[in-house]
Amino acid sequence: MRSGSVRRSLASIVLGFELIVVFLATLVIFGLSDLPAWVTLGGGALLCLIMVATLGLLRYNWAYTIGWAVQVVIVATGFLNPAMFVVGALFAGMWVYCMITGSRIDRQHKENS
């Protein structure tokens, strides 16, 4: 049986669901915004690619910094569509909770072994 990091598992779950929401939000912003299509779709695609890459890099501690930056960018998309302030805040809250709880559980597992 492979023992993994709880923080890594929780981060994967949050980023995975967030990836779906960002993809759908990109389509909504594309449909409602006056921005050129290449800006909206390109920016959304870039953010999705960064999130997929971050999912693959979570074995490294520095990848969590990228995860924090992604949370900031998603909250900032609220300037393009105000509903994203709420969505971004919800995911940022989940990210914070998962980072704190996952780190605590990993620390407890390390102390007990």
Side-chain angles (χ1 to χ4, degrees):
M1 183 171 160
R2 189 178 116 180
S3 65
S5 166
V6 174
R7 181 176 80 150
R8 180 177 175 187
S9 296
L10 293 174
S12 298
I13 292 167
V14 172
L15 283 175
F17 281 112
E18 199 169 20
L19 178 62
I20 296 166
V21 171
V22 166
F23 172 74
L24 294 173
T26 298
L27 297 177
V28 168
I29 293 170
F30 168 70
L32 298 177
S33 175
D34 292 335
L35 291 172
W38 67 271
V39 172
T40 306
L41 297 176
L46 179 62
L47 186 55
C48 286
L49 285 174
I50 290 169
M51 293 171 72
V52 168
T54 304
L55 278 166
L57 294 170
L58 285 175
R59 72 187 128 224
Y60 304 108
N61 283 330
W62 53 265
Y64 294 93
T65 305
I66 298 172
W68 284 102
V70 165
Q71 303 310 312
V72 171
V73 170
I74 292 172
V75 170
T77 60
F79 291 110
L80 298 175
N81 184 340
M84 287 304 291
F85 282 127
V86 175
V87 172
L90 289 172
F91 274 106
M94 284 190 287
W95 181 262
V96 169
Y97 176 78
C98 290
M99 293 300 99
I100 292 170
T101 303
S103 296
R104 181 178 43 81
I105 293 171
D106 286 341
R107 197 170 38 254
Q108 288 173 347
H109 284 163
K110 191 174 182 180
E111 290 171 359
N112 292 336
S113 58

